[in-house]
């Protein structure tokens, strides 16, 4: 894993940001082998960038062999190894908690790790979003609210409770599990961290804390592209959102940092190293 560097004075190239995010989507299985990509103009609209930026991003991916140009107007994903799977079952289950800000790539990292190991992945939004939206509407809030006191104090704690219960059930069955969520409050709370590690230690499981670092420019590129309704507030006031977060935040206890900035090593490469590190003391 890379160590974050000071990028304040050198923002990443926009085409590299786009290329990295598309590469992550392929490696996470969102774009599968043989998929025809939309036209350059359509991709430019989806990513909110120029046609030139998409063309340059495609050159990067073509040079890597990840995208093949079948004709002037048709590009397809080339990832034949996607279908090869192996399951890693350590003697002691691992609970991999992956946190990061919106658009940092934590879900993509979780998916890549799940594909590398065969371990179940539990993503907070996937597990809880429909119920959260219904609960917010019942309380008279927008279903996409993620900023109000109602959400933060009445809904958010229950989301994390449900996520932890699902992880606990897997551990009780002897399964390792990958859990993805922002975890900002949780990773910043030494008492929560200590309780969580103690709980899984009692269950004869090892806890691995991962923080995904990403620069603001790359985060914005991804958040814009995914177009989630829950991001509307952030996108409408991105500068204000950045003022409210701390990009230098790190968990209070032992953790691993994965650098998902556009200039960093591929996420797949870092994920493979992460798996090796997680299993370093395991005799398989």
């Amino acid at each position: 894993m890379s160590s974050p560097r000071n990028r304040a004075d050198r923002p990443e190239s926009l085409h590299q940001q786009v290329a990295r995010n598309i590469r992550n989507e392929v490696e996470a299985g969102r774009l599968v082998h043989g998929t025809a990509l939309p036209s350059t103009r359509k991709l430019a609209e989806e990513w909110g960038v120029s046609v030139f930026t998409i063309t340059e991003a495609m050159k990067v991916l073509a040079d890597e062999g990840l995208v093949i140009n079948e004709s002037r107007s048709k590009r397809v994903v080339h990832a034949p190894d996607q279908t090869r799977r192996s399951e890693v079952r350590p003697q002691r289950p691992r609970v991999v908690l992956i946190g990061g800000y919106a658009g940092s790539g934590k879900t993509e990292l979780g998916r890549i790790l799940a594909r590398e190991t065969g371990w179940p992945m539990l993503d907070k939004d996937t597990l809880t979003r429909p119920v959260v939206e219904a609960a917010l509407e019942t309380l008279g809030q927008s279903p996409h609210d993620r900023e109000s006191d109602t959400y933060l104090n009445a809904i958010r704690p229950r989301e994390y409770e449900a996520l932890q219960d699902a992880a606990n059930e897997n551990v009780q069955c002897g399964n390792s599990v990958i859990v993805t969520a922002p975890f900002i409050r949780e990773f910043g709370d030494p008492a929560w961290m200590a309780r969580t590690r103690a709980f899984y230690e009692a269950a004869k499981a090892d806890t691995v804390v991962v923080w995904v670092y990403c620069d603001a420019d790359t985060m914005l590129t991804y958040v814009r592209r995914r177009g989630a309704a829950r991001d509307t507030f952030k996108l409408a006031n991105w500068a204000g959102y950045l003022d409210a977060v701390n990009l230098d935040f790190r968990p209070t206890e032992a953790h691993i940092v994965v650098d998902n900035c556009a200039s960093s090593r591929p996420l797949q490469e870092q994920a493979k190293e992460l798996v090796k590190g997680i299993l370093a003391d395991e005799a398989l």
Side-chain angles (χ1 to χ4, degrees):
M1 281 64 67
S2 302
S3 297
R5 299 174 293 279
N6 185 355
R7 297 178 173 81
D9 297 322
R10 59 180 188 87
E12 310 299 348
S13 300
L14 191 54
H15 76 277
Q16 291 285 0
Q17 296 174 29
V18 173
R20 185 177 187 86
N21 280 299
I22 292 176
R23 185 188 304 114
N24 289 351
E25 290 189 355
V26 173
E27 293 167 348
R30 295 185 188 276
L31 290 173
V32 300
H33 176 62
T35 299
L37 295 174
S39 67
T40 299
R41 189 169 299 279
K42 179 64 175 176
L43 284 171
E45 292 174 0
E46 287 183 7
W47 287 95
V49 298
S50 68
V51 168
F52 174 78
T53 295
I54 294 298
T55 300
E56 292 300 299
M58 290 299 113
K59 287 180 181 178
V60 171
L61 296 174
D63 287 345
E64 294 175 359
L66 202 57
V67 169
I68 293 178
N69 297 310
E70 291 194 344
S71 68
R72 290 184 61 187
S73 59
K74 185 178 181 181
R75 303 185 184 97
V76 297
V77 173
H78 180 70
D81 291 341
Q82 276 186 336
T83 57
R84 298 176 187 173
R85 296 288 175 271
S86 60
E87 182 176 356
V88 180
R89 195 170 182 88
Q91 296 175 7
R92 281 175 63 96
R94 274 28 174 203
V95 180
V96 185
L97 305 178
I98 303 176
Y101 288 113
S104 63
K106 58 186 176 295
T107 301
E108 282 64 35
L109 176 62
R111 289 176 63 99
I112 293 170
L113 290 176
R115 293 167 65 83
E116 285 286 327
T117 60
W119 300 344
M121 173 180 158
L122 304 175
D123 178 75
K124 180 178 75 66
D125 287 332
T126 302
L127 282 177
T128 66
R129 185 170 60 244
V131 174
V132 166
E133 291 178 354
L136 285 167
E137 287 186 310
T138 299
L139 294 172
Q141 302 289 122
S142 164
H144 311 306
D145 164 36
R146 297 298 184 274
E147 288 80 30
S148 73
D149 288 341
T150 299
Y151 168 74
L152 294 174
N153 297 322
I155 305 297
R156 187 186 184 280
R158 304 289 84 77
E159 283 189 281
Y160 280 84
E161 183 179 331
L163 189 63
Q164 192 163 37
D165 285 348
N168 296 346
E169 191 164 41
N170 272 279
V171 170
Q172 290 166 6
C173 295
N175 297 327
S176 295
V177 63
I178 299 161
V179 187
T180 61
F183 282 122
I184 297 164
R185 283 189 185 179
E186 289 70 22
F187 284 179
D189 181 354
W192 185 92
M193 297 281 283
R195 286 196 306 271
T196 299
R197 289 188 186 278
F199 176 88
Y200 288 121
E201 179 62 32
K204 294 182 170 46
D206 296 330
T207 306
V208 180
V209 174
V210 180
W211 180 255
V212 182
Y213 169 79
C214 189
D215 64 277
D217 290 333
T218 308
M219 285 167 53
L220 178 58
T221 299
Y222 184 75
V223 172
R224 276 179 176 162
R225 193 319 182 128
R226 74 183 181 186
R230 64 186 181 278
D231 293 327
T232 301
F233 179 85
K234 296 183 185 71
L235 289 174
N237 185 29
W238 185 253
Y241 168 71
L242 287 180
D243 287 342
V245 303
N246 175 15
L247 293 182
D248 293 325
F249 171 85
R250 297 294 181 272
T252 59
E253 294 192 9
H255 63 278
I256 299 166
V257 175
V258 170
D259 188 340
N260 194 30
C261 296
S263 63
S264 300
R265 291 182 299 130
L267 205 56
Q268 177 77 22
E269 185 179 313
Q270 296 187 68
K272 287 180 180 294
E273 287 186 6
L274 181 56
V275 172
K276 288 181 181 178
I278 290 172
L279 300 174
D281 60 348
E282 187 77 26
L284 297 177

